[in-house]
Amino acid sequence: MLINLFLLFISSAIVNNFVLAYFLGICPFLGVSKKVDSAFSLGIASTFVMTLTAIISWAINHFILIKYNLPFLQNVSFIIVIASLVQLVEMFIKKTSPPLYRALGIFLPLITTNCAILGLALFAALRDYGFIETIVYGFGAGVGFTLALVIMAGIREQLELADVPKPLEGAGITLIIAGILALAFMGFAGLISV
Amino acid sequence: MEKKKQNLFSIFTNGLWNESPTFKMLLGMCPALAVSNSATNGMAMGLATTFVLIASAFLISTNRKLIPSEVRIAAYIVIIATFVTIADYFLKAFFPVQSKTLGPFVPLIVVNCVILGRAESFSSKNKLIPSLLDALGMGLGFTLALTAIGIIREILGAGSIFDVKLLGDWFEPWIIMLLPAGAFLTLGIMIGIINTFSMKKATVGVDFGDNIGYMEKDKIISTESKFLTSEEIKAAREKKPKAKKPLTKENKTD
Amino acid sequence: MNIASKMIVVLSLMGLLSGGALAGVYKATFEKIKQNQLEELKRAIFIVLTKAKDYKKIEKDGIVVYEGLDENKMPAGLAFKAKGMGFQGEIGMMVGLDSELKKIKGLFVLDQLETPGLGAKITTEDFRGQFKELSVEPKIVYVKNVKPSKPNEIQAITAATISSKAVVNILNRDIKKVEMALKKGD
């Protein structure tokens, strides 16, 4: 059982990395990955929200949606959960650690539109994961997201010193690098049969 | 009346090119990369998103005075999520094959930054007709972008276009195009190409010193050493060249 | 009305309208969606059991099989869904076996996320055709780079061994499962 969970974690974090294999979380990936510090902070905050979302969305799915046969409310309820969670996390951080709040700044509300969070909630529901499995899946997804973000930030920090063709500056070169990263991560495919 | 008509039309065309959600504003990237592996998929996703854009623009614009500002984001999200679910079920019922191929990305239209972005910056602040036109323009711009990416990836990756085999058996498909890596590369290169064209408006003038300035018809527009986008050129044009001295050899004081 | 109550009223109203609209759309499309799924199932069954003109659903011990019936309503094989992990994602197939569960009558891939042009070749007639009249005893075996020599062997797709292996493993596993469930209590 534990082995299975560990494999699930590796699968969602690396083999089926949410950003590089499933195209989720691209907006923050392109927008916030310029510096390693901010990338890391956003990644941690997102991982936190993802894990919480995994728990709550599983609960809503099993105790309300499935029980009362309301599958059509899945989208609406999940996104409301996410939006509320982000709001709560924002208020919590503001109260307990104002410096952290200032450091994260605008990134916090942006977590709401991170496709990765809604994506993971929907995928977990689609694949009928159990409670523990959903938590591990959510946590793994967050770690994978943070990983992709930090790698990209590290590369982009180095890129500042390089001679990028002008039209490719910004989004262009970032996407091309993302493509190469995706190619690299393809090497992990087939590592785990989960 | 003439000016209003022109304004409305330009609102519509804005989304098609100038502020293309995919190529210029870099919004809605997730679906742009994920479902653009064939022309049909790209178009289907674009049309579904356009539907949600227009429907939510309609509701948000007509009710913009009724929704309290504090809860507006929550309200928009609920409206958008509702229409996305409607679109999802519509596809499942009447286009099951397409629904299966697009898969879990239809519900993900909810977090498509284009829709929330337009709701927040346009529909909530404008009357019904302009909002609808903006939504239509953005949606079509998005659809065009996705279809374009889809066409390129499909031709190179499968030798077909809209599922019609175009290139003969002599062509060995570039499988990479159908995979995530190919999506990133295609979009990156496309943005690069488009930027080249949009940035051609100003020409570079080089001083003998360290300054690189941008000149247009012999007039220095800016001395920033980077490519300017058309908006920045426009802004710099309007700004009177104030403190910076013109870059002629005589004026170099340092 | 102060701000707080206005917020509550607006949000509750939206919630109700949204829920109502969605419930309506769900009801309206329910039948059509179910019909679509049934159509897909029927098509898959008839592809793998070529002699069947109709089918009957059998549920036993948590296993669902579809017994094909030919034009005289006589048994024409058993079909069931097999699924498991492939190279990139889950592979779902419809397998048709003869009524004694000794030979495969047909194979149809329902869902797969394998590498296009390589693993995805498991959907081609070239690969699937190998499974027609394939013996499943003692189990299906795949061989690489040589032509199959035994009645229970198939040749894996070149450069797509993992996907081919996945298909074989899924089939072996699920066929055993169906066998156990049906033979029990017979």
Side-chain angles (χ1 to χ4, degrees), chain B residues 142-211:
Chain B
F142 185 66
T143 309
L144 280 173
L146 249 62
T147 314
I149 302 177
I151 290 178
I152 294 181
R153 285 178 74 191
E154 193 180 348
I155 289 187
L156 291 176
S160 63
I161 186 169
F162 288 109
D163 295 322
V164 171
K165 215 156 159 81
L166 206 63
L167 302 169
D169 282 325
W170 55 268
F171 179 71
E172 189 65 43
W174 300 0
I175 307 283
I176 189 77
M177 280 297 161
L178 300 176
L179 297 174
F184 284 119
L185 290 170
T186 310
L187 188 57
I189 295 179
M190 278 178 91
I191 290 184
I193 295 178
I194 290 180
N195 278 347
T196 327
F197 287 125
S198 316
M199 291 173 171
K200 256 191 169 159
K201 294 224 174 100
T203 52
V204 180
V206 181
D207 186 43
F208 292 113
D210 301 307
N211 293 316

Coordinates of all heavy atoms in Angstrom, one line a residue, chain B residues 142-211:
Chain B
F142 N -9.0 33.7 -30.3 CA -8.6 32.5 -29.6 C -8.7 31.3 -30.5 O -7.8 30.5 -30.7 CB -9.3 32.4 -28.3 CG -8.9 31.2 -27.4 CD1 -7.6 31.2 -26.9 CD2 -9.7 30.2 -27.2 CE1 -7.2 30.2 -26.1 CE2 -9.3 29.1 -26.4 CZ -8.0 29.1 -25.8
T143 N -9.9 31.2 -31.1 CA -10.2 30.0 -32.0 C -9.2 30.0 -33.2 O -8.7 29.0 -33.5 CB -11.7 30.1 -32.5 OG1 -12.5 30.3 -31.4 CG2 -12.0 28.8 -33.2
L144 N -9.0 31.2 -33.8 CA -8.1 31.2 -34.9 C -6.7 30.8 -34.5 O -6.1 30.0 -35.2 CB -8.0 32.7 -35.4 CG -9.2 33.1 -36.4 CD1 -9.1 34.6 -36.7 CD2 -9.1 32.3 -37.6
A145 N -6.3 31.3 -33.3 CA -4.9 31.0 -32.9 C -4.8 29.5 -32.7 O -3.9 28.8 -33.1 CB -4.6 31.7 -31.6
L146 N -5.8 28.9 -31.9 CA -5.8 27.5 -31.7 C -5.8 26.6 -32.9 O -5.1 25.7 -33.1 CB -6.9 27.1 -30.7 CG -6.5 26.7 -29.3 CD1 -5.9 27.8 -28.6 CD2 -7.7 26.1 -28.6
T147 N -6.7 27.1 -33.9 CA -6.8 26.3 -35.1 C -5.4 26.4 -35.9 O -5.0 25.4 -36.5 CB -7.9 26.9 -36.0 OG1 -9.1 27.0 -35.2 CG2 -8.2 25.9 -37.1
A148 N -4.8 27.6 -35.9 CA -3.6 27.8 -36.6 C -2.5 26.8 -36.0 O -1.8 26.1 -36.7 CB -3.1 29.2 -36.5
I149 N -2.4 26.8 -34.7 CA -1.4 26.0 -34.0 C -1.8 24.5 -34.3 O -0.9 23.7 -34.6 CB -1.4 26.2 -32.5 CG1 -1.1 27.6 -32.1 CG2 -0.4 25.2 -31.8 CD1 -1.2 27.9 -30.7
G150 N -3.1 24.2 -34.3 CA -3.5 22.9 -34.6 C -3.1 22.4 -36.0 O -2.7 21.3 -36.2
I151 N -3.3 23.3 -37.0 CA -3.0 23.0 -38.3 C -1.5 22.7 -38.5 O -1.1 21.7 -39.1 CB -3.4 24.1 -39.3 CG1 -4.9 24.2 -39.4 CG2 -2.8 23.9 -40.7 CD1 -5.4 25.4 -40.2
I152 N -0.7 23.5 -37.9 CA 0.8 23.3 -38.0 C 1.2 22.0 -37.4 O 1.9 21.2 -38.0 CB 1.5 24.5 -37.3 CG1 1.3 25.7 -38.1 CG2 3.0 24.1 -37.3 CD1 2.0 26.9 -37.5
R153 N 0.7 21.7 -36.2 CA 1.0 20.5 -35.5 C 0.5 19.3 -36.2 O 1.2 18.2 -36.2 CB 0.5 20.6 -34.0 CG 1.3 21.5 -33.1 CD 0.8 21.5 -31.7 NE 1.1 20.3 -31.0 CZ 0.5 20.0 -29.9 NH1 -0.4 20.8 -29.3 NH2 0.8 18.9 -29.3
E154 N -0.7 19.4 -36.8 CA -1.2 18.2 -37.4 C -0.5 17.9 -38.7 O -0.2 16.8 -39.0 CB -2.7 18.5 -37.7 CG -3.4 17.2 -38.1 CD -4.9 17.4 -38.4 OE1 -5.4 18.5 -38.1 OE2 -5.5 16.5 -38.9
I155 N -0.2 19.0 -39.5 CA 0.5 18.7 -40.8 C 1.9 18.1 -40.5 O 2.2 17.1 -41.1 CB 0.7 20.1 -41.5 CG1 -0.7 20.5 -42.1 CG2 1.7 19.9 -42.7 CD1 -0.6 21.7 -43.0
L156 N 2.6 18.7 -39.6 CA 3.9 18.2 -39.3 C 3.9 16.9 -38.6 O 4.8 16.1 -38.7 CB 4.8 19.2 -38.5 CG 5.1 20.5 -39.3 CD1 5.8 21.5 -38.5 CD2 6.0 20.1 -40.5
G157 N 2.9 16.7 -37.7 CA 2.9 15.5 -36.9 C 2.2 14.4 -37.4 O 2.4 13.2 -37.0
A158 N 1.2 14.6 -38.4 CA 0.5 13.5 -38.9 C 0.3 13.5 -40.4 O -0.3 12.7 -40.9 CB -0.9 13.4 -38.2
G159 N 0.7 14.6 -41.0 CA 0.6 14.7 -42.4 C -0.8 14.9 -42.9 O -1.2 14.7 -44.0
S160 N -1.7 15.4 -42.0 CA -3.1 15.6 -42.4 C -3.5 16.9 -41.9 O -2.8 17.6 -41.1 CB -4.0 14.5 -41.8 OG -3.9 14.6 -40.4
I161 N -4.7 17.3 -42.4 CA -5.3 18.6 -41.9 C -6.8 18.4 -41.8 O -7.4 17.9 -42.7 CB -4.9 19.8 -42.8 CG1 -5.3 21.1 -42.2 CG2 -5.5 19.6 -44.2 CD1 -4.8 22.3 -43.0
F162 N -7.3 18.7 -40.6 CA -8.7 18.4 -40.4 C -9.0 16.9 -40.7 O -10.0 16.6 -41.3 CB -9.7 19.3 -41.2 CG -9.7 20.7 -40.7 CD1 -9.1 21.7 -41.4 CD2 -10.3 21.0 -39.5 CE1 -9.1 23.0 -40.9 CE2 -10.3 22.3 -39.0 CZ -9.7 23.3 -39.7
D163 N -8.1 16.1 -40.4 CA -8.2 14.6 -40.6 C -8.2 14.2 -42.0 O -8.5 13.1 -42.4 CB -9.5 14.1 -39.9 CG -9.5 14.2 -38.4 OD1 -8.4 14.0 -37.9 OD2 -10.5 14.5 -37.8
V164 N -7.9 15.1 -42.9 CA -7.8 14.8 -44.3 C -6.3 14.6 -44.6 O -5.5 15.5 -44.5 CB -8.4 15.8 -45.2 CG1 -8.1 15.6 -46.7 CG2 -9.9 15.9 -45.0
K165 N -5.9 13.4 -45.1 CA -4.5 13.2 -45.4 C -4.0 14.1 -46.5 O -4.5 14.1 -47.6 CB -4.3 11.7 -45.7 CG -3.0 11.3 -45.1 CD -2.9 9.8 -44.9 CE -1.4 9.4 -44.9 NZ -0.7 9.5 -43.8
L166 N -3.0 14.9 -46.2 CA -2.5 15.9 -47.1 C -1.3 15.4 -47.8 O -1.1 15.5 -49.0 CB -2.3 17.2 -46.3 CG -2.4 18.5 -47.2 CD1 -3.8 18.7 -47.7 CD2 -2.0 19.7 -46.3
L167 N -0.3 15.0 -47.0 CA 1.0 14.6 -47.5 C 1.0 13.1 -47.7 O 0.4 12.4 -46.9 CB 2.1 15.0 -46.5 CG 2.1 16.5 -46.2 CD1 3.1 16.8 -45.1 CD2 2.5 17.3 -47.4
G168 N 1.6 12.7 -48.7 CA 1.6 11.3 -49.1 C 2.5 10.5 -48.2 O 2.9 10.9 -47.1
D169 N 2.7 9.2 -48.5 CA 3.4 8.3 -47.7 C 4.9 8.6 -47.6 O 5.6 8.1 -46.8 CB 3.3 6.9 -48.2 CG 1.9 6.4 -47.7 OD1 1.5 6.7 -46.6 OD2 1.3 5.6 -48.5
W170 N 5.4 9.5 -48.5 CA 6.8 9.8 -48.5 C 7.2 10.6 -47.3 O 8.3 10.7 -46.9 CB 7.2 10.6 -49.7 CG 6.4 11.9 -49.9 CD1 5.2 12.0 -50.6 CD2 6.6 13.2 -49.3 NE1 4.7 13.3 -50.5 CE2 5.6 14.0 -49.7 CE3 7.7 13.7 -48.5 CZ2 5.5 15.4 -49.3 CZ3 7.6 15.0 -48.1 CH2 6.5 15.8 -48.5
F171 N 6.2 11.2 -46.6 CA 6.4 12.1 -45.5 C 6.5 11.3 -44.2 O 5.5 10.6 -43.8 CB 5.3 13.2 -45.4 CG 5.5 14.1 -44.3 CD1 6.5 15.1 -44.3 CD2 4.6 14.1 -43.2 CE1 6.7 15.9 -43.2 CE2 4.8 15.0 -42.1 CZ 5.8 15.9 -42.1
E172 N 7.6 11.4 -43.5 CA 7.7 10.7 -42.2 C 7.3 11.7 -41.1 O 8.0 12.7 -40.9 CB 9.1 10.3 -42.0 CG 9.4 9.4 -40.8 CD 8.7 8.1 -40.9 OE1 8.7 7.5 -42.0 OE2 8.0 7.7 -39.9
P173 N 6.2 11.5 -40.5 CA 5.6 12.6 -39.6 C 6.6 12.9 -38.5 O 7.3 12.0 -38.0 CB 4.3 12.0 -39.1 CG 4.1 10.7 -39.8 CD 5.3 10.3 -40.5
W174 N 6.6 14.1 -38.0 CA 7.4 14.5 -36.9 C 6.5 14.3 -35.7 O 5.8 15.2 -35.2 CB 7.8 16.0 -36.9 CG 8.6 16.4 -38.1 CD1 9.0 15.6 -39.2 CD2 9.0 17.7 -38.4 NE1 9.6 16.3 -40.1 CE2 9.7 17.6 -39.7 CE3 9.0 18.9 -37.8 CZ2 10.3 18.7 -40.3 CZ3 9.6 20.0 -38.4 CH2 10.3 19.9 -39.6
I175 N 6.7 13.1 -35.1 CA 5.8 12.7 -34.0 C 5.9 13.7 -32.9 O 4.9 14.0 -32.2 CB 6.2 11.3 -33.5 CG1 6.2 10.3 -34.6 CG2 5.2 10.9 -32.4 CD1 4.8 9.9 -35.0
I176 N 7.0 14.3 -32.7 CA 7.2 15.2 -31.6 C 6.2 16.3 -31.6 O 5.8 16.9 -30.5 CB 8.7 15.9 -31.7 CG1 9.0 16.7 -30.4 CG2 8.8 16.8 -32.9 CD1 9.3 15.8 -29.3
M177 N 5.7 16.7 -32.8 CA 4.7 17.7 -32.9 C 3.4 17.4 -32.1 O 2.6 18.3 -31.8 CB 4.4 18.0 -34.3 CG 5.4 18.9 -35.0 SD 5.5 20.5 -34.1 CE 7.1 21.0 -34.6
L178 N 3.1 16.1 -32.0 CA 1.9 15.7 -31.4 C 2.0 15.6 -29.9 O 1.1 15.4 -29.2 CB 1.4 14.4 -31.9 CG 1.1 14.4 -33.4 CD1 0.7 13.0 -33.9 CD2 0.0 15.3 -33.8
L179 N 3.3 15.7 -29.4 CA 3.5 15.6 -28.0 C 3.7 16.9 -27.3 O 3.9 17.9 -28.0 CB 4.8 14.7 -27.8 CG 4.7 13.3 -28.3 CD1 6.0 12.6 -28.3 CD2 3.7 12.6 -27.5
P180 N 3.7 17.0 -26.0 CA 3.8 18.2 -25.3 C 5.0 19.1 -25.8 O 4.8 20.3 -26.0 CB 4.0 17.8 -23.8 CG 3.3 16.5 -23.7 CD 3.4 15.9 -25.1
A181 N 6.1 18.5 -25.9 CA 7.3 19.2 -26.3 C 7.1 20.0 -27.6 O 7.4 21.2 -27.7 CB 8.5 18.3 -26.5
G182 N 6.5 19.3 -28.6 CA 6.2 20.0 -29.9 C 5.2 21.2 -29.7 O 5.4 22.2 -30.4
A183 N 4.3 21.0 -28.8 CA 3.3 22.1 -28.6 C 4.1 23.4 -28.1 O 3.9 24.5 -28.6 CB 2.3 21.7 -27.6
F184 N 4.9 23.2 -27.1 CA 5.7 24.3 -26.5 C 6.5 25.0 -27.6 O 6.5 26.2 -27.8 CB 6.6 23.8 -25.4 CG 5.9 23.6 -24.1 CD1 6.0 22.3 -23.6 CD2 5.3 24.6 -23.4 CE1 5.3 22.0 -22.4 CE2 4.7 24.3 -22.2 CZ 4.7 23.1 -21.7
L185 N 7.2 24.1 -28.4 CA 8.1 24.6 -29.4 C 7.3 25.4 -30.5 O 7.7 26.5 -30.9 CB 8.9 23.5 -30.1 CG 9.9 22.8 -29.2 CD1 10.5 21.5 -29.8 CD2 11.1 23.8 -28.9
T186 N 6.2 24.8 -30.9 CA 5.4 25.5 -32.0 C 5.0 26.8 -31.5 O 5.1 27.8 -32.2 CB 4.2 24.6 -32.3 OG1 4.6 23.3 -32.6 CG2 3.5 25.2 -33.5
L187 N 4.4 26.9 -30.3 CA 3.9 28.2 -29.8 C 5.0 29.2 -29.7 O 4.9 30.3 -30.0 CB 3.1 28.0 -28.5 CG 2.4 29.2 -28.1 CD1 1.4 29.7 -29.1 CD2 1.6 28.9 -26.8
G188 N 6.1 28.7 -29.1 CA 7.2 29.6 -28.9 C 7.7 30.2 -30.2 O 7.9 31.4 -30.3
I189 N 7.9 29.4 -31.2 CA 8.4 29.9 -32.5 C 7.3 30.8 -33.1 O 7.7 31.8 -33.7 CB 8.8 28.7 -33.4 CG1 9.9 27.9 -32.8 CG2 9.1 29.2 -34.8 CD1 10.4 26.7 -33.5
M190 N 6.1 30.4 -33.0 CA 5.0 31.2 -33.6 C 5.0 32.6 -33.0 O 4.9 33.6 -33.7 CB 3.7 30.6 -33.5 CG 3.4 29.5 -34.5 SD 1.8 28.8 -34.2 CE 0.7 29.8 -35.2
I191 N 5.2 32.7 -31.7 CA 5.2 34.0 -31.0 C 6.4 34.8 -31.5 O 6.3 36.0 -31.7 CB 5.2 33.8 -29.5 CG1 3.8 33.3 -29.0 CG2 5.5 35.1 -28.8 CD1 3.7 33.2 -27.5
G192 N 7.5 34.1 -31.6 CA 8.7 34.7 -32.1 C 8.5 35.4 -33.5 O 8.8 36.5 -33.7
I193 N 7.9 34.6 -34.4 CA 7.6 35.1 -35.7 C 6.7 36.3 -35.7 O 6.9 37.3 -36.4 CB 7.1 33.9 -36.6 CG1 8.1 32.8 -36.8 CG2 6.7 34.5 -38.0 CD1 7.6 31.7 -37.6
I194 N 5.6 36.1 -34.9 CA 4.6 37.2 -34.9 C 5.3 38.5 -34.3 O 5.0 39.6 -34.8 CB 3.4 36.8 -34.1 CG1 2.7 35.7 -34.9 CG2 2.5 37.9 -33.8 CD1 1.4 35.2 -34.2
N195 N 6.1 38.3 -33.3 CA 6.7 39.5 -32.7 C 7.6 40.1 -33.7 O 7.8 41.4 -33.7 CB 7.5 39.1 -31.5 CG 6.6 39.0 -30.2 OD1 5.5 39.4 -30.3 ND2 7.1 38.4 -29.2
T196 N 8.3 39.3 -34.5 CA 9.2 40.0 -35.5 C 8.4 40.9 -36.4 O 8.8 42.0 -36.7 CB 9.8 38.9 -36.4 OG1 10.0 37.7 -35.7 CG2 11.1 39.4 -37.0
F197 N 7.2 40.5 -36.8 CA 6.4 41.3 -37.7 C 5.9 42.5 -37.0 O 5.8 43.6 -37.5 CB 5.2 40.5 -38.3 CG 5.7 39.6 -39.4 CD1 5.4 38.2 -39.3 CD2 6.5 40.0 -40.4 CE1 5.9 37.4 -40.2 CE2 6.9 39.2 -41.4 CZ 6.6 37.8 -41.3
S198 N 5.4 42.3 -35.7 CA 4.8 43.5 -35.0 C 5.9 44.5 -34.6 O 5.6 45.6 -34.4 CB 4.1 43.0 -33.7 OG 3.4 41.9 -34.0
M199 N 7.1 44.1 -34.5 CA 8.1 45.0 -34.0 C 8.8 45.7 -35.2 O 9.7 46.4 -34.9 CB 9.1 44.2 -33.2 CG 8.5 43.8 -31.9 SD 9.6 42.8 -31.0 CE 8.8 42.6 -29.5
K200 N 8.4 45.4 -36.4 CA 9.2 45.9 -37.5 C 9.0 47.4 -37.7 O 9.6 48.1 -38.4 CB 8.8 45.2 -38.8 CG 9.8 44.2 -39.2 CD 9.5 43.8 -40.6 CE 10.7 43.0 -41.1 NZ 10.4 42.1 -42.2
K201 N 7.9 47.9 -37.0 CA 7.5 49.3 -37.3 C 8.7 50.3 -37.0 O 8.8 51.3 -37.7 CB 6.3 49.7 -36.4 CG 5.1 48.9 -36.8 CD 3.9 49.8 -36.8 CE 2.7 49.0 -37.3 NZ 1.8 48.5 -36.2
A202 N 9.4 50.1 -36.0 CA 10.5 51.1 -35.7 C 11.8 50.5 -36.2 O 12.0 49.3 -36.3 CB 10.6 51.4 -34.2
T203 N 12.7 51.4 -36.6 CA 14.0 50.9 -37.1 C 15.0 51.3 -36.0 O 14.9 52.3 -35.4 CB 14.4 51.5 -38.4 OG1 14.2 52.9 -38.4 CG2 13.5 50.9 -39.5
V204 N 16.0 50.6 -36.0 CA 17.0 50.8 -35.0 C 18.1 51.8 -35.5 O 18.6 51.7 -36.5 CB 17.7 49.5 -34.6 CG1 18.8 49.8 -33.6 CG2 16.7 48.5 -34.1
G205 N 18.3 52.8 -34.6 CA 19.4 53.7 -35.0 C 20.4 53.6 -33.9 O 20.2 53.5 -32.8
V206 N 21.7 53.5 -34.3 CA 22.7 53.3 -33.4 C 23.6 54.5 -33.3 O 24.1 55.1 -34.3 CB 23.6 52.1 -33.8 CG1 24.6 51.8 -32.8 CG2 22.7 50.9 -33.9
D207 N 23.9 54.9 -32.1 CA 24.8 56.0 -31.9 C 26.2 55.4 -31.8 O 26.4 54.2 -31.6 CB 24.4 56.8 -30.6 CG 25.3 58.0 -30.5 OD1 25.5 58.7 -31.5 OD2 25.7 58.3 -29.4
F208 N 27.2 56.3 -31.9 CA 28.5 55.7 -31.7 C 28.9 55.4 -30.3 O 29.9 54.8 -30.0 CB 29.6 56.7 -32.3 CG 29.4 56.9 -33.8 CD1 29.0 58.1 -34.3 CD2 29.7 55.8 -34.6 CE1 28.9 58.2 -35.7 CE2 29.5 56.0 -36.0 CZ 29.1 57.2 -36.5
G209 N 28.1 55.9 -29.4 CA 28.3 55.6 -28.0 C 27.6 54.3 -27.6 O 27.5 53.4 -28.4
D210 N 27.2 54.3 -26.3 CA 26.6 53.1 -25.8 C 25.1 53.2 -26.0 O 24.4 52.2 -25.7 CB 26.8 53.0 -24.3 CG 28.3 52.9 -24.0 OD1 29.0 52.1 -24.7 OD2 28.8 53.7 -23.2
N211 N 24.6 54.3 -26.5 CA 23.1 54.3 -26.6 C 22.6 53.7 -27.9 O 23.1 53.9 -29.0 CB 22.6 55.8 -26.6 CG 22.9 56.4 -25.2 OD1 22.7 55.7 -24.2 ND2 23.4 57.6 -25.2

